[in-house]
Amino acid sequence: MENNQLDLLIELQDLDLQIRNLEAKKAQVPREIEAAGLGLQECLRGLESLKQQSEQIEKERRRRELDVEEVRATLGKIQQKSSEVKTNKEYAAMMAEVEFLKGKIFNFEEEVLALMEKAEEKRAQMLLKEEEAASRKREFASKKARLLQEAEELGKELADRRRDRDSLVLRVDEKLYQSYERVVSMRGGLGVAAVKDGICQGCHLRVRPQLVVEIKSRMAIINCSHCNRFLYWAEEPVTRRQEAMPGGGKGV
Ligand SMILES: [Zn+2]
């Protein structure tokens, strides 16, 4: 039984690594979706800010237009009263007031024009931003759909690997399995390690030569005396050949 059991543990570890890898990839998907939406979020914030700036400019323009109306009304009143002016001095004072108010109107009207130009500029910027937002929205939607599809495929693969694991576990000796699980949880997920050149590949410490002989012969299941991982002999020539093949020699 021992020989076969060690192979099962190696297979189990391979499945566990695949499962963990798939879980990590799947957990990454929501973050990737969020990251994919950042550009769009930024663009929408920019659009909102432009809208607010536009509204501000519009408000200022209306205020200036009211100012113009107000000063015009004052000017009208003064001009109506011009017939009541008796002296040159009064006339000069009135003319000075009229000039002053006309200057004010001129300045306000200049401001109105400048604000209208500014509003036009903002409108153009908003149009560009709206176009950008629309294309970013489309881009994000297709990226999100692709990522969700990917997550679904990862989920299916994960379910398959978990099923494989469940049926494999049924074939592993129960005590051995418990022991494997203990080592896995103690050793950061890696419960089985190869011995290469007399070194445990899990903890990189030397394995006693006598144990190496036993591991090689597969007479018993041996645990590393340093890290407690289950040890197997990595037959170098075979391993090298596997590594040379595409898809071969993948991580155990
Ligand atoms: Zn070790």
Side-chain angles (χ1 to χ4, degrees):
M1 110 167 188
E2 300 291 347
N3 281 351
N4 178 40
Q5 286 292 307
L6 185 60
D7 285 336
L8 293 181
L9 283 191
I10 294 170
E11 216 178 305
L12 183 58
Q13 167 154 298
D14 188 37
L15 275 175
D16 277 346
L17 290 178
Q18 285 182 48
I19 287 169
R20 229 182 312 150
N21 187 25
L22 289 167
E23 281 170 344
K25 274 191 192 162
K26 196 168 170 244
Q28 196 58 34
V29 169
R31 260 164 285 175
E32 280 174 38
I33 289 175
E34 206 188 312
L38 287 181
L40 174 60
Q41 296 290 327
E42 170 86 41
C43 185
L44 290 176
R45 271 197 298 276
L47 191 57
E48 186 53 35
S49 155
L50 280 173
K51 251 178 212 161
Q52 281 171 5
Q53 289 169 36
S54 272
E55 280 164 18
Q56 195 57 36
I57 290 167
E58 193 62 18
K59 244 189 231 166
E60 251 173 81
R61 183 177 64 86
R62 259 178 269 132
R63 202 159 52 220
R64 283 292 165 262
E65 281 172 347
L66 285 178
D67 286 342
V68 169
E69 278 174 36
E70 211 176 288
V71 178
R72 269 195 213 288
T74 312
L75 192 60
K77 272 179 212 154
I78 290 172
Q79 280 165 340
Q80 272 174 8
K81 284 184 196 162
S82 64
S83 55
E84 298 164 20
V85 168
K86 303 278 188 304
T87 66
N88 280 342
K89 201 179 160 195
E90 275 176 358
Y91 183 74
M94 188 201 77
M95 284 313 283
E97 179 74 1
V98 166
E99 281 314 304
F100 172 72
L101 293 177
K102 278 183 175 169
K104 238 179 161 178
I105 288 171
F106 179 81
N107 287 339
F108 284 154
E109 280 177 342
E110 286 285 293
E111 276 182 55
V112 169
L113 281 178
L115 287 166
M116 281 165 81
E117 254 173 57
K118 225 167 146 187
E120 193 50 50
E121 230 171 76
K122 289 288 165 206
R123 252 194 300 281
Q125 285 175 13
M126 266 168 69
L127 273 179
L128 282 180
K129 259 291 182 247
E130 271 163 8
E131 273 172 35
E132 188 193 333
S135 94
R136 277 185 188 276
K137 251 178 214 166
R138 279 193 300 273
E139 212 176 283
F140 174 62
S142 76
K143 207 165 183 179
K144 186 178 173 184
R146 189 170 55 69
L147 284 166
L148 287 176
Q149 170 79 19
E150 212 176 288
E152 201 187 315
E153 277 160 22
L154 284 170
K156 274 184 204 154
E157 209 180 328
L158 203 48
D160 285 348
R161 292 292 84 75
R162 283 182 179 140
R163 255 196 307 279
D164 291 348
R165 189 188 195 277
D166 287 346
S167 58
L168 181 66
V169 166
L170 291 178
R171 291 159 60 203
V172 180
D173 175 80
E174 204 180 316
K175 278 213 173 108
L176 193 64
Y177 176 66
Q178 284 167 2
S179 174
Y180 166 83
E181 287 284 77
R182 244 194 330 273
V183 178
V184 163
S185 72
M186 260 166 32
R187 293 295 166 195
L190 217 61
V192 183
V195 176
K196 264 186 194 169
D197 303 324
I199 305 287
C200 165
Q201 297 302 302
C203 64
H204 302 287
L205 292 174
R206 186 160 292 281
V207 180
R208 276 191 291 123
Q210 177 52 38
L211 284 183
V212 174
V213 172
E214 284 182 46
I215 292 161
K216 238 177 180 171
S217 71
R218 289 190 152 225
M219 300 264 283
I221 290 180
I222 306 289
N223 293 80
C224 174
S225 48
H226 310 291
C227 70
N228 229 27
R229 291 189 177 93
F230 292 88
L231 295 175
Y232 68 94
W233 177 249
E235 292 150 285
E236 274 98 345
V238 175
T239 307
R240 278 197 199 114
R241 202 167 60 233
Q242 278 178 348
E243 277 166 359
M245 291 190 308
K250 58 180 175 184
V252 176

